[in-house]
Amino acid sequence: MSLYDPLKLRLQSATENSLVLSFDEIEELIGQVLPISAQNYDAWWSNENPDHTRHVQSKAWTTLGFSAEVNRGRREVTFRRGTP
């Protein structure tokens, strides 16, 4: 089981084509604070090919066909269905 499976389950249950989650909401889902790199670097939220990455956070959304767009200033992430 991955730390980010609860995020994946939340996205899997989404009926809308885009979903905005705050860092606080994501932290509540995963049960811990996001890593410092998630809070400081856009690259942590990269939309990597799930077949070729070892980054479990990226796999949480890309395996479902979502892309992530972070706004670190607002501490939120927009997840969208479809290609980035």
Side-chain angles (χ1 to χ4, degrees), residues 11 18 20 32 58 62 78:
L11 293 171
S18 68
V20 178
Q32 65 183 54
S58 182
T62 57
T78 301

Side-chain angles (χ1 to χ4, degrees), residues 8-23:
K8 183 177 182 177
L9 290 172
R10 174 63 183 95
L11 293 171
Q12 195 170 31
S13 69
T15 57
E16 54 270 71
N17 286 327
S18 68
L19 177 67
V20 178
L21 294 175
S22 68
F23 283 14

Side-chain angles (χ1 to χ4, degrees), residues 34-67:
L34 285 165
I36 295 296
S37 54
Q39 299 176 47
N40 292 335
Y41 302 103
D42 290 353
W44 192 91
W45 299 96
S46 293
N47 301 298
E48 300 171 353
N49 183 323
D51 296 328
H52 298 108
T53 186
R54 289 193 262 166
H55 295 129
V56 293
Q57 77 275 11
S58 182
K59 285 184 178 187
W61 58 83
T62 57
T63 57
L64 298 173
F66 280 87
S67 62

Side-chain angles (χ1 to χ4, degrees), residues 3 6-7 22-34:
L3 170 64
L7 172 60
S22 68
F23 283 14
D24 290 340
E25 290 171 311
I26 294 170
E27 291 171 344
E28 187 174 321
L29 286 169
I30 65 173
Q32 65 183 54
V33 176
L34 285 165

